[in-house]
Every structure is written in structure tokens, then in C-alpha cells.
């Protein structure tokens, strides 16, 4: 997609593609490179203003979607970035590494399954060693697989969804906090599904609600260390998560049509909120859930 200037005043309804879209099934976790239209991760548009100069950040799910937009924005704001993703997403991740390096920052690619505690230990330990510290943890990676009925929802899927969305967040926060200096920030990625769950997303919506409570509690727990913890709760966003099983395929053509702004958000529209929450500009904000929903507000 040719990227609109995200700083020029314009009609938000028309800023990005509106439904209808083509059905476009692909296997999970899906690749951004196979989507039509291509998501806008701010590749051509995001401008940095030095708001994260010299920071060291770890971003999970950094290959595509919201995580890719965050990684690009953070690098252009002056941060070095550790990128985590699944090994099958290497082709998407390589594009992000190139963009970070073009911004003049360091990119440390660390593919692996964050549903395994031992890998989370490697990710934080080796990632922080590679960058010489860790100031920002952004938990973006997530698993979402729509299933029509509770009878068909397997224990295996239920567990995988919780391991990826909840356990990994717990492990990564637990490992990162002792390494972070005062001023460090954690940003989790929950969803409007925590508040308005779809019937087909029983396991996923439950994990997103757990992330909200975890964010509130952890923020209070670590405030005394000078570490802030917030979360972003997106509405529908045009990323590979959705056509790779996150929605039943027949819902893809009208994806986003149900919000007041009548279209899905693009990853580039999420990144500025993560930058704000990561930067010192949000110094008095902690324990908050920040909605970016196209108008179907929280809770
Ligand atoms: P995405 O598919 O681009 O990103 C999800 C990423 O999660 C994948 O790229 C993959 O790298 C990572 N991942 C999945 N399982 C993993 C595992 N076991 N180990 C390591 N990495 C793993 O889609 P996205 O929409 O950008 O998703 C990012 C986050 O946004 C998720 O937490 C999702 O719940 C949340 N979210 C998305 C939407 C939406 O409509 N797209 C709405 C609300 C919330
Ligand atoms: Mg991906």
C-alpha cells in the first residue's frame, strides 16, 4: 500500500482501505507479505523525533503487524531493538531488521517460541547482553484462533493461547524487571476482546482479560521501582493474525466495518501510542489501558 502522510490533517474514514476485502486464508502465524492490501506499518511515513534516544527495547511479535510498526517507530525515535518472532516468520522479520538498520539503530533478531519459559530466559538474558541493557519491554506477540463452539475448543489450543498471551507476558516481565533501571517501561498488548468478547474467541478473549488485570496489578507492584506498566487495547487491525485463523474466513471481507470509523485500523496507527507510553513524556501514566478501537470504546 502507498502510505498516506500520517501527520497531514485528513478524513480518518478515508485515510486507509475500507471493506470489502478479499478472503485470503493463510496458515498461522501468517505473513504480512502475503496480505492484500498490504498493511501499513509506517515504513514510508513514520517520522522520529528523538523521543526514545539511546533506549534499548525488546519487542515480541516484531516481524509483522502491530509489533513491526512499533519496532520501526522505536528505531526512528532512536532506540535499539531486540526483535522476537517465530522462526517461520523470518522473511517478514528480515524486512524489519533492514528498516531498523536504515534508521541507524541496532537490530538484534531472536526468533523463538515465547510459550517456552527457557526460551524467554534466553531472550531477555542474551538480548539485554547484546544491547548492554534493557529499558523497554513491549509484549505484542499473541495467538488468536477462532473456534465456533466450546465443544470444539481443544485443551491443546486453550493451553497454547494462554502460554503465548499470558504465561510469556508473565515470564518476560519477571525477567525484565530486575534488569530495568528506574524510568523503564513495560507495554502489554491486550484487546477490546477483554471487554466485549466475541463468542468465537473464548480462549483468546479470556487471555486478553487476564492481561488487563495483570497490567493493573503489576503497575501498582513496581511503581516504587520507578517502572511504569501500561497496555494498549486495539480494536480491529489489519494484520496477518486475522486472515490466518483469528477470524472465520467469511468475516475477512467486512473486517472493521462494524466500528464507527468503518474500517480496520492499520499498524501504523497504533505505533504512536506505544511510543508515547514508552517515552518519558508519559511519566505520570501507569496501570492504564489505552484503547485504539476506531470508536467501539473501552470497556
Ligand atoms: P501479527 O500476526 O502480525 O502479530 C502476532 C505475532 O505474534 C506474530 O507475528 C508472531 O511473531 C507472534 N507469535 C505468535 N505466537 C508466538 C510464539 N509462540 N512465540 C513467539 N511469537 C509468537 O498480528 P497483530 O494483530 O499485530 O497482533 C499483535 C497483538 O495485537 C496480539 O497480542 C493481538 O492479540 C493484539 N491485537 C490484535 C488485534 C487485531 O485486530 N489485529 C486486535 C486487538 C489486539
Ligand atoms: Mg508475524
Amino acid at each position: 500500500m502507498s502510505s498516506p502522510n500520517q501527520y497531514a490533517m485528513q478524513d480518518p474514514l478515508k485515510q486507509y482501505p475500507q471493506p470489502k476485502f478479499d478472503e485470503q486464508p493463510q496458515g498461522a502465524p501468517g505473513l504480512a507479505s502475503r496480505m492484500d492490501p498490504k498493511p501499513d506499518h509506517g515504513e514510508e511515513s513514520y517520522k522520529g523525533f528523538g523521543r526514545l534516544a539511546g533506549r534499548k527495547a525488546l519487542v515480541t511479535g516484531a516481524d509483522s503487524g502491530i509489533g513491526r510498526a512499533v519496532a520501526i517507530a522505536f528505531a526512528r525515535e532512536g532506540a535499539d531493538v531486540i526483535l522476537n518472532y517465530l522462526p517461520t516468520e523470518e522473511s517478514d522479520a528480515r524486512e524489519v531488521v533492514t528498516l531498523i538498520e536504515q534508521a541507524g539503530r541496532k537490530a538484534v533478531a531472536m526468533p523463538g517460541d515465547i510459550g517456552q519459559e527457557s526460551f524467554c530466559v534466553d531472550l531477555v538474558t542474551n538480548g539485554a547482553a547484546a544491547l548492554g541493557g534493557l529499558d523497554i519491554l513491549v509484549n505484542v506477540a499473541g495467538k488468536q484462533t477462532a473456534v465456533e463452539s466450546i465443544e470444539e475448543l481443544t485443551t491443546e489450543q486453550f493451553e497454547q493461547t494462554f502460554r503465548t498471551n499470558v504465561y510469556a507476558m508473565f515470564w518476560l516481565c519477571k525477567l525484565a524487571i530486575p534488569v530495568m533501571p528506574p524510568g523503564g517501561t513495560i507495554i502489554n498488548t491486550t484487546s477490546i476482546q477483554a471487554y466485549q468478547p466475541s463468542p468465537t474467541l473464548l480462549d483468546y478473549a479470556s487471555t486478553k482479560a487476564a492481561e488487563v488485570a495483570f497490567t493493573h496489578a503489576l503497575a501498582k507492584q513496581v511503581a516504587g521501582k520507578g517502572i511504569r506498566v501500561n497496555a494498549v487495547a486495539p480494536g480491529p487491525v489489519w494484520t496477518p493474525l486475522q486472515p490466518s485463523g483469528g477470524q472465520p474466513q467469511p468475516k475477512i471481507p467486512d473486517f472493521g466495518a462494524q466500528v464507527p470509523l468503518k474500517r480496520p485500523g492499520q499498524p501504523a496507527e497504533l505505533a504512536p501510542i506505544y511510543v508515547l507510553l514508552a517515552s518519558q513524556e508519559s511519566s505520570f501514566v501507569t496501570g492504564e489501558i489505552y484503547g485504539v478501537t476506531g470508536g467501539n470504546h473501552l470497556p
Side-chain angles (χ1 to χ4, degrees), residues 56-60 82-84 108 110-111 113-114 116-139 167-180 186:
K56 304 165 202 317
L58 165 57
V59 182
T60 66
I82 305 152
L83 303 94
N84 165 254
V108 180
M110 297 194 61
D113 178 3
I114 56 168
Q116 304 302 322
E117 186 173 10
S118 57
F119 175 72
C120 290
V121 173
D122 288 351
L123 181 59
V124 174
T125 311
N126 299 339
L131 291 188
L134 186 64
D135 305 312
I136 304 166
L137 167 64
V138 189
N139 288 307
Y167 284 53
M169 171 186 65
F170 162 59
W171 291 323
L172 293 172
C173 289
K174 181 173 171 151
L175 291 156
I177 284 165
V179 181
M180 283 184 165
I186 295 174

Side-chain angles (χ1 to χ4, degrees), residues 29-32 61-65 85-86 89 92 240-241:
L31 289 175
D63 58 300
S64 61
Y85 49 92
L86 286 165
E89 300 173 299
D92 270 0
L241 189 74

Side-chain angles (χ1 to χ4, degrees), residues 20-298:
K20 298 217 176 251
F21 303 108
D22 289 339
E23 288 193 12
Q24 45 194 289
Q26 50 170 321
L31 289 175
S33 61
R34 292 204 193 138
M35 290 186 74
D36 175 25
K38 291 266 181 297
D40 184 0
H41 309 90
E43 288 92 338
E44 293 170 26
S45 57
Y46 191 88
K47 277 189 213 166
F49 297 96
R51 290 185 286 185
L52 300 176
R55 306 290 215 288
K56 304 165 202 317
L58 165 57
V59 182
T60 66
D63 58 300
S64 61
I66 297 166
R68 181 196 287 220
V70 169
I72 293 168
F74 277 23
R76 292 188 187 166
E77 295 287 357
D80 293 332
V81 185
I82 305 152
L83 303 94
N84 165 254
Y85 49 92
L86 286 165
T88 55
E89 300 173 299
E90 191 63 35
S91 61
D92 270 0
R94 282 295 124 201
E95 295 180 12
V96 187
V97 167
T98 301
L99 288 160
I100 292 171
E101 290 174 350
Q102 282 170 354
R105 306 310 311 181
K106 220 186 227 186
V108 180
M110 297 194 61
D113 178 3
I114 56 168
Q116 304 302 322
E117 186 173 10
S118 57
F119 175 72
C120 290
V121 173
D122 288 351
L123 181 59
V124 174
T125 311
N126 299 339
L131 291 188
L134 186 64
D135 305 312
I136 304 166
L137 167 64
V138 189
N139 288 307
V140 186
K143 174 176 167 57
Q144 175 183 334
T145 309
V147 174
E148 287 297 326
S149 81
I150 191 166
E151 288 90 347
E152 294 162 33
L153 177 56
T154 62
T155 301
E156 188 190 9
Q157 173 174 326
F158 194 85
E159 184 175 345
Q160 276 309 115
T161 307
F162 270 83
R163 288 185 88 82
T164 309
N165 300 3
V166 180
Y167 284 53
M169 171 186 65
F170 162 59
W171 291 323
L172 293 172
C173 289
K174 181 173 171 151
L175 291 156
I177 284 165
V179 181
M180 283 184 165
T185 55
I186 295 174
I187 306 165
N188 296 322
T189 306
T190 175
S191 169
I192 194 160
Q193 287 290 324
Y195 304 96
Q196 297 171 36
S198 300
T200 53
L201 295 175
L202 196 56
D203 54 335
Y204 174 83
S206 304
T207 65
K208 294 290 144 179
E211 291 172 20
V212 168
F214 183 95
T215 300
H216 290 319
L218 186 63
K220 290 176 188 157
Q221 189 183 116
V222 300
K225 296 182 196 290
I227 295 173
R228 296 182 296 108
V229 187
N230 293 289
V232 176
V237 185
W238 189 246
T239 72
L241 189 74
Q242 302 296 357
S244 69
Q247 298 291 329
Q249 201 55 220
K251 289 208 166 166
I252 295 299
D254 283 313
F255 186 66
Q258 70 283 11
V259 305
L261 290 177
K262 294 188 170 53
R263 63 170 177 84
Q266 292 291 327
E269 298 178 283
L270 277 291
I273 307 303
Y274 286 82
V275 169
L276 173 67
L277 294 175
S279 83
Q280 203 60 34
E281 290 175 305
S282 59
S283 48
F284 203 52
V285 181
T286 195
E288 288 293 347
I289 312 296
Y290 201 122
V292 187
T293 65
N296 282 351
H297 54 77
L298 312 179

